[in-house]
Amino acid sequence: VIWMTQSPSLLSASTGDRVTISCRMSQGISSYLAWYQQKPGKAPELLIYAASTLQSGVPSRFSGSGSGTDFTLTISCLQSEDFATYYCQQYYSFPPATFGQGTKVEIK
Amino acid sequence: EVQLVESGGGVVQPGGSLRLSCAASGFTFDDYAMHWVRQAPGKGLEWVSLISGDGGSTYYADSVKGRFTISRDNSKNSLYLQMNSLRTEDTALYYCAKDLSDVEGAFDIWGQGTMVTVSS
């Protein structure tokens, strides 16, 4: 079983800030990592897969980086619509797919 | 438009059964693996089950193995989850999700979810 540690669990930020969310694996997963955004009452949406590939239609202010055990989601200039909860997910050791605990990005 | 629409959720007593359905449209259904992912109230995401595009391979989370059965009808562009011996800890919003390909493991399209409540 691959253990995932996503941090922070809560991030307070202002519109225009650059924010980063971390996801660390207990063992290497190459680049088999995805990032999702979930807004209250809505289904998750895929932002990034293969660690750094931006899903079609996702704004370019979102970017992903990393490989092996350490990964980062960066939002370069936080917009009001970006306040949401973000999840990382590994699909290297799959099944099962496993998700991080989530990071809630709230207004500071 | 690519779309997934779940149905079949409801309130059921512990030990009961429920069958969830997911209707797919806007893509070639049998080209893609499909998944069920659930989210307990106020909690994170938990992968539940996977079925390959041709239906020949299925996988389950340990928490539901032996109780849940995933299936698909490619002629109807539909995905199903038969849930038996339900427990209170199965209470969650159940999403169907489309795989990026035929068993890659990331999910690019999600339905709106159907709520399952297991309670006496």
Side-chain angles (χ1 to χ4, degrees):
Chain A
V1 178
I2 296 178
W3 297 103
M4 305 172 65
T5 303
Q6 186 177 341
S7 61
S9 56
L10 178 64
L11 193 159
S12 297
S14 302
T15 303
D17 285 352
R18 178 184 178 90
V19 302
T20 60
I21 299 169
S22 171
C23 198
R24 177 164 288 179
M25 308 296 146
S26 60
Q27 63 188 76
I29 64 165
S30 184
S31 296
Y32 291 91
L33 187 98
W35 290 96
Y36 301 86
Q37 177 194 67
Q38 186 177 33
K39 296 180 180 179
K42 299 294 186 181
E45 293 186 0
L46 178 66
L47 296 174
I48 287 167
Y49 62 96
S52 61
T53 302
L54 199 65
Q55 172 69 351
S56 176
V58 174
S60 59
R61 63 181 179 273
F62 291 92
S63 64
S65 63
S67 67
T69 60
D70 292 318
F71 300 86
T72 300
L73 173 69
T74 300
I75 309 173
S76 60
C77 182
L78 199 65
Q79 301 298 301
S80 57
E81 60 266 33
D82 301 335
F83 292 98
T85 299
Y86 295 84
Y87 294 93
C88 57
Q89 178 233 333
Q90 70 82 21
Y91 52 105
Y92 174 79
S93 175
F94 173 78
T98 47
F99 293 89
Q101 303 92 325
T103 295
K104 182 178 181 180
V105 178
E106 66 170 19
I107 300 173
K108 191 172 185 179
Chain B
E1 180 192 6
V2 178
Q3 194 174 13
L4 298 171
V5 179
E6 302 95 334
S7 60
V11 180
V12 61
Q13 291 187 338
S17 298
L18 214 53
R19 189 194 195 209
L20 306 183
S21 299
C22 173
S25 59
F27 62 98
T28 305
F29 187 62
D30 55 7
D31 279 352
Y32 297 92
M34 295 294 296
H35 304 258
W36 289 98
V37 178
R38 68 185 181 183
Q39 188 170 34
K43 302 297 184 181
L45 300 167
E46 180 188 15
W47 175 83
V48 173
S49 184
L50 146 72
I51 187 166
S52 60
D54 66 0
S57 299
T58 58
Y59 301 90
Y60 300 92
D62 286 345
S63 57
V64 306
K65 201 172 294 182
R67 301 187 298 121
F68 290 11
T69 302
I70 192 171
S71 62
R72 64 192 295 162
D73 185 338
N74 287 345
S75 68
K76 295 182 178 179
N77 287 353
S78 293
L79 174 73
Y80 306 101
L81 186 68
Q82 178 66 43
M83 304 186 295
N84 297 332
S85 303
L86 282 161
R87 306 168 179 168
T88 55
E89 56 264 36
D90 296 318
T91 294
L93 187 61
Y94 284 73
Y95 295 103
C96 68
K98 172 186 166 292
D99 200 297
L100 282 172
S101 66
D102 196 3
V103 191
E104 182 162 347
F107 320 119
D108 62 346
I109 303 294
W110 298 62
Q112 84 288 352
T114 187
M115 187 67 202
V116 173
T117 302
V118 185
S119 173
S120 55

